[in-house]
DNA sequence: GCCGTTTTCGGCCCGACTGTTTTCAGTCG
């Protein structure tokens, strides 16, 4: 059976192979496929069941692409793709993953030197044959040789988990901020959009002295290898092979620059198109008046460039937060009905997944953890140490009762914050939970999560979660899939069924702010929002240093278009407690 | 390949850096 994923994979391959065939990634045909692919991806329906006329109704999808989708669904193959596959076998396509080797050069080395794979390319480089080709010289040959060596380490497809990239980016930003010549700094790209994995780190600096900034970057201790070093742009590789691009712009163009470098590419294209429609020109330096066609590009009057907000406003758009900039309807919404009141960090009034050293993996005391939460001004806090089923980390019923007393003793010193005695329940392989029903009902608040048995079938995992959701002692589901981004996939579930259950039992779906998790993922959050499933954004802190994760959880929720009013920990204390307690009324 | 009250052909987002040129092509984001 053909799935949506199969359709997307078919188009992705078609894009790669057509770029090779056309000899340009900018080919209009390639861009048309890309646009169609985006349209299909963001369509909420099951695209494999759509008729031809329904498919062509999707933005960017024309007759040709629609026919290919139908062809794949009906026959399992696409003739056009098969022909391209025959022309460009996988080992040749692999060459296109080498940075610096574009379609034009590939075509050249294939036709002139008969190179079909990485091995033959390596031989040709060793024999100094590449430098004999028109447009290539010894320098290009050496550059490609180096890129071949790094293949697999820094290939175009390499992605780094956000948990590895964000701390490095924050460190680099702090170092650049400390430079006296720096006015402003912002990391951009997929990192700012809170993608789960990122290709490289983009940093934009505003300064009146770009050469000082560039020199500083070149000298930085993180630089293992320089890739590009110009007057306003320097790219380098870290020892871990992660590429960092640093650009310098003048302070009055900072907004336009970070808008541009944050992307996404398709979001930028949508903004540019909107600019053109209004007789304006948008580039990385600003939004310009293009109504007078006699003026040189540099003479066009600047309409907005200092801040992103001014540019969005001049384009008659509500400000679009970076995590939403994926061209999945945000430009249309911002220019029409609006984005609604999206969740912000400042809305959060409490953390509801929070460990102390009562958990085997907790590292700060109850007093320390409560003090940190109070310092953030939280109105309520749920201390949710592990239940007994998580053998090494959990506590017995007796230990939990002693823990309750200890929490209560310390909480009296914080009259402005309600400290709840909670528990992170473990969802067993069949959906069973810790302790007995009566004991679980004693907790003020619970979060139930999966910590093991990751490889059961989809129906089994789905039933497992729904059993936990249906339990009246459960307030929320923690880190939905249990994934560690880039390291371990989470459990596979039927999202529709699970979200349906969450909505039905009024159980909140957690957005876990730990960078390794960011679970539920933003696309799942968006589905949850469509179904009006309640959300809760938590840090899952195990140490006093981890409370800052709330920001990442909020950004992930934003990326899923979460409105403030669906997030239960934005409620005032009374309203939150009313919601938290109402499930237990089913028990009596 | 897609699209359209300046429609059915002729457009399609824009610029930096590099290496190879001696005014530009290729690649990348």
């Amino acid at each position: 059976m053909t799935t949506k994923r199969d359709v997307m994979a078919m188009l992705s391959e078609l894009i790669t192979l057509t770029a090779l065939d056309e000899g340009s990634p900018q080919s209009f045909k390639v861009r048309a496929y890309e646009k169609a692919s985006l349209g299909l991806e963001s369509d909420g329906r099951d695209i494999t069941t759509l008729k031809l006329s329904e498919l062509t109704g999707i933005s960017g999808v024309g007759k040709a692409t629609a026919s290919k989708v139908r062809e794949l669904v009906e026959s399992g193959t696409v003739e056009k793709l098969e022909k391209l596959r025959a022309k460009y076998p996988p080992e040749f396509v692999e060459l296109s993953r080498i940075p610096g080797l574009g379609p034009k050069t590939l075509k050249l080395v294939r036709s002139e030197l008969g190179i079909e794979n990485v091995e033959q390319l390596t031989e040709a480089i060793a024999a100094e044959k590449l430098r004999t080709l028109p447009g290539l010289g010894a320098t290009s040959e050496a550059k490609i040789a180096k890129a071949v060596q790094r293949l697999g380490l820094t290939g175009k497809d390499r992605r780094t988990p956000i948990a590895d990239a964000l701390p490095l980016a924050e460190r680099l930003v702090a170092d650049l901020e400390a430079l006296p010549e720096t006015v402003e700094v912002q990391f951009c790209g997929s990192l700012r959009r809170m993608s789960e994995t990122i290709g490289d780190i983009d940093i934009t600096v505003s300064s009146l002295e770009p050469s000082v900034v560039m020199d500083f970057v070149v000298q930085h201790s993180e630089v293992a290898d320089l890739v590009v070093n110009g007057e306003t742009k320097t790219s380098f590789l870290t020892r871990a092979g992660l590429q960092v691009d640093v650009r310098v712009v003048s302070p009055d163009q900072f907004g336009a620059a970070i808008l541009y470098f944050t992307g996404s590419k398709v979001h930028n294209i949508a903004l540019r198109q909107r600019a053109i429609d209004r007789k304006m020109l948008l580039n990385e330096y600003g939004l310009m008046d293009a109504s007078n066609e006699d003026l040189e590009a540099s003479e066009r009057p600047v309409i907005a460039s200092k801040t992103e907000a001014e540019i969005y406003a001049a384009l008659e758009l509500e400000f679009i937060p970076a995590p939403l900039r994926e061209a999945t309807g945000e430009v249309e919404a911002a220019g029409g009905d609006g984005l609604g009141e999206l969740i912000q960090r400042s809305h959060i009034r409490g953390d509801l997944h929070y460990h102390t050293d009562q958990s085997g993996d907790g590292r700060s005391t109850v007093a320390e953890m409560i003090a940190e939460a109070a310092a953030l001004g939280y109105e309520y806090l749920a201390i949710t140490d592990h239940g007994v089923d998580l053998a090494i980390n959990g506590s017995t019923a007796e230990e939990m009762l002693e823990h309750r007393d200890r929490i209560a003793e310390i909480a009296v010193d914080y009259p402005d914050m309600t400290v709840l005695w909670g528990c992170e329940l473990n969802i067993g392989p069949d959906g069973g939970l810790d302790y007995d029903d009566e004991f679980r009902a004693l907790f003020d608040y619970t979060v139930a999560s999966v910590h093991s048995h990751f490889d059961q079938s989809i129906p089994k995992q789905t039933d497992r979660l729904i059993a936990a959701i249906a339990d009246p002692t459960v307030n929320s589901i923690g880190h939905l899939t249990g994934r560690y981004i880039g390291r371990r996939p989470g459990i596979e579930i039927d999202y529709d069924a699970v979200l349906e259950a969450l909505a039905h039992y009024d159980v909140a779906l957690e957005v876990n702010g730990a960078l390794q998790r960011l679970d539920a993922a933003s696309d799942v959050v968006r589905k949850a929002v469509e179904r009006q499933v309640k959300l809760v954004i938590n840090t899952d802190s195990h140490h006093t240093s981890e409370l800052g994760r709330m920001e990442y959880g909020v950004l992930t929720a934003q990326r899923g278009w979460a409105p403030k009013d669906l997030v239960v920990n934005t409620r005032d204390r009374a309203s939150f407690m009313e919601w938290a307690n109402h499930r237990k009324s089913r028990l009596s």
Side-chain angles (χ1 to χ4, degrees):
Chain A
M1 200 190 85
T2 308
T3 64
K4 178 166 183 173
R5 193 177 293 183
D6 297 328
V7 174
M8 300 319 297
M10 180 271 287
L11 284 169
S12 167
E13 194 178 354
L14 196 60
I15 289 166
T16 306
L17 298 185
T18 308
L20 282 175
D21 202 46
E22 295 268 310
S24 165
Q26 311 295 333
S27 135
F28 296 120
K29 202 187 273 188
V30 173
R31 276 160 52 183
Y33 282 143
E34 280 174 344
K35 215 171 161 219
S37 174
L38 275 165
L40 288 164
E41 176 145 54
S42 54
D43 195 283
R45 296 168 291 179
D46 178 4
I47 53 173
T48 61
T49 61
L50 298 185
K51 290 187 296 226
L52 209 58
S53 59
E54 292 172 316
L55 285 166
T56 53
I58 297 171
S59 162
V61 180
K63 219 174 153 230
T65 307
S67 303
K68 287 185 181 71
V69 173
R70 291 308 310 161
E71 190 184 347
L72 183 72
V73 172
E74 282 158 22
S75 73
T77 57
V78 175
E79 197 187 338
K80 171 92 182 255
L81 183 59
E82 294 303 325
K83 278 186 180 159
L84 285 168
R85 279 177 173 169
K87 210 165 161 187
Y88 304 99
E91 57 174 22
F92 181 74
V93 177
E94 196 194 348
L95 289 168
S96 70
R97 292 180 58 245
I98 298 170
L101 261 191
K104 289 264 165 50
T105 315
L106 273 179
K107 209 161 210 173
L108 189 68
V109 298
R110 191 184 207 186
S111 63
E112 296 299 315
L113 302 175
I115 289 170
E116 292 288 339
N117 54 43
V118 176
E119 196 186 342
Q120 290 171 359
L121 178 68
T122 310
E123 288 168 9
I125 291 167
E128 300 188 346
K129 279 184 180 163
L130 255 57
R131 64 180 68 181
T132 65
L133 299 175
L136 294 176
T139 313
S140 298
E141 191 177 74
K143 216 171 170 177
I144 292 168
K146 207 169 172 184
V148 172
Q149 279 175 8
R150 295 198 297 239
L151 189 63
L153 185 64
T154 61
K156 289 170 191 169
D157 295 342
R158 176 201 157 103
R159 304 291 292 177
T160 302
I162 188 169
D164 296 337
L166 193 52
L168 172 62
E170 287 176 341
R171 202 157 65 240
L172 289 168
V173 164
D175 290 347
L176 284 161
E177 259 170 357
L179 203 61
E181 287 79 5
T182 295
V183 181
E184 282 181 276
V185 193
Q186 171 69 58
F187 60 80
C188 300
S190 54
L191 197 53
R192 185 168 174 230
R193 301 198 311 274
M194 285 300 285
S195 291
E196 293 164 4
T197 62
I198 61 131
D200 55 20
I201 295 177
D202 292 299
I203 297 177
T204 307
V205 183
S206 74
S207 171
L208 293 170
E209 298 189 55
S211 62
V212 177
V213 178
M214 291 289 89
D215 288 347
F216 177 80
V217 172
V218 169
Q219 301 296 324
H220 197 279
S221 60
E222 287 291 341
V223 178
D225 203 357
L226 274 179
V227 180
V228 169
N229 180 21
E231 288 173 20
T232 62
K233 176 185 169 179
T234 294
S235 297
F236 67 87
L237 293 173
T238 67
R239 268 171 299 281
L242 181 57
Q243 180 160 330
V244 181
D245 296 340
V246 183
R247 316 236 185 179
V248 188
V249 300
S250 83
D252 58 347
Q253 298 170 331
F254 189 66
I258 63 171
L259 179 65
Y260 176 79
F261 293 121
T262 298
S264 65
K265 192 175 155 185
V266 276
H267 178 82
N268 285 350
I269 289 173
L271 293 185
R272 287 223 179 93
Q273 192 55 53
R274 200 173 166 91
I276 290 168
D277 294 344
R278 286 163 176 69
K279 299 256 182 281
M280 300 182 202
L281 171 75
L282 178 63
N283 61 24
E284 61 215 80
Y285 301 110
L287 180 66
M288 268 75 71
D289 182 349
S291 56
N292 185 344
E293 288 170 14
D294 298 334
L295 291 176
E296 293 290 316
S298 60
E299 294 170 342
R300 291 186 181 127
V302 175
I303 296 167
S305 66
K306 263 196 187 117
T307 67
E308 289 181 327
E310 288 171 26
I311 296 171
Y312 279 111
L315 289 170
E316 297 170 273
L317 289 170
E318 184 183 329
F319 180 80
I320 302 175
L324 275 76
R325 300 180 194 166
E326 298 289 353
T328 56
E330 74 280 3
V331 176
E332 293 83 348
D337 295 341
L339 297 164
E341 191 183 7
L342 292 167
I343 181 72
Q344 312 272 348
R345 171 65 186 84
S346 58
H347 296 150
I348 301 292
R349 299 188 191 218
D351 197 335
L352 299 166
H353 185 168
Y354 203 73
H355 295 269
T356 71
D357 61 7
Q358 180 69 34
S359 293
D361 53 0
R363 304 187 307 283
S364 299
T365 63
V366 176
E368 288 166 346
M369 292 301 283
I370 290 180
E372 286 294 319
L376 286 181
Y378 285 150
E379 294 172 31
Y380 42 88
L381 176 71
I383 294 184
T384 55
D385 284 302
H386 289 292
V388 68
D389 287 356
L390 207 59
I392 297 175
N393 292 323
S395 303
T396 63
E398 292 72 31
E399 289 166 340
M400 271 294 183
L401 290 172
E402 289 168 21
H403 186 44
R404 172 170 68 173
D405 294 341
R406 195 155 48 249
I407 291 169
E409 259 170 48
I410 295 166
V412 292
D413 294 334
Y414 300 91
D416 294 335
M417 185 169 76
T418 301
V419 183
L420 304 172
W421 170 60
C423 183
E424 180 175 11
L425 299 167
N426 180 61
I427 303 176
D430 299 310
L433 301 167
D434 315 63
Y435 314 109
D436 57 42
D437 295 1
E438 274 180 27
F439 189 80
R440 281 201 310 279
L442 295 177
F443 289 112
D444 299 324
Y445 182 88
T446 64
V447 47
S449 327
V450 164
H451 298 98
S452 61
H453 299 86
F454 292 101
D455 52 4
Q456 308 186 87
S457 69
I458 292 179
K460 192 122 196 286
Q461 301 285 32
T462 305
D463 290 347
R464 174 192 192 186
L465 276 177
I466 292 175
I469 292 164
D471 189 290
T473 65
V474 169
N475 291 111
S476 61
I477 295 295
H479 46 72
L480 183 64
T481 71
R483 68 174 181 173
Y484 282 140
I485 296 169
R487 277 178 47 204
R488 167 180 94 195
I491 60 169
E492 291 187 73
I493 56 174
D494 176 345
Y495 285 98
D496 286 333
V498 170
L499 293 173
E500 193 64 49
L502 286 165
H504 179 259
Y505 290 104
D506 196 15
V507 168
L509 175 67
E510 176 182 81
V511 181
N512 189 300
L515 286 176
Q516 299 89 330
R517 296 189 181 274
L518 300 179
D519 194 9
S522 58
D523 55 336
V524 177
V525 172
R526 193 154 176 193
K527 286 198 180 90
V529 169
E530 282 168 14
R531 291 174 179 270
Q532 294 288 297
V533 170
K534 290 200 179 66
L535 303 168
V536 56
I537 305 173
N538 293 322
T539 65
D540 196 359
S541 289
H542 288 67
H543 185 261
T544 52
S545 65
E546 293 172 343
L547 277 72
R549 292 171 173 179
M550 186 59 81
E551 177 73 22
Y552 307 140
V554 168
L555 290 171
T556 299
Q558 264 190 6
R559 195 170 158 80
W561 294 50
K564 179 193 173 193
D565 62 18
L566 272 186
V567 181
V568 297
N569 51 333
T570 64
R571 298 183 175 204
D572 64 43
R573 198 183 329 204
S575 164
F576 167 73
M577 289 309 301
E578 191 190 337
W579 172 79
N581 287 327
H582 85 282
R583 288 210 79 205
K584 282 195 206 162
S585 58
R586 293 158 44 101
L587 277 174
S588 50

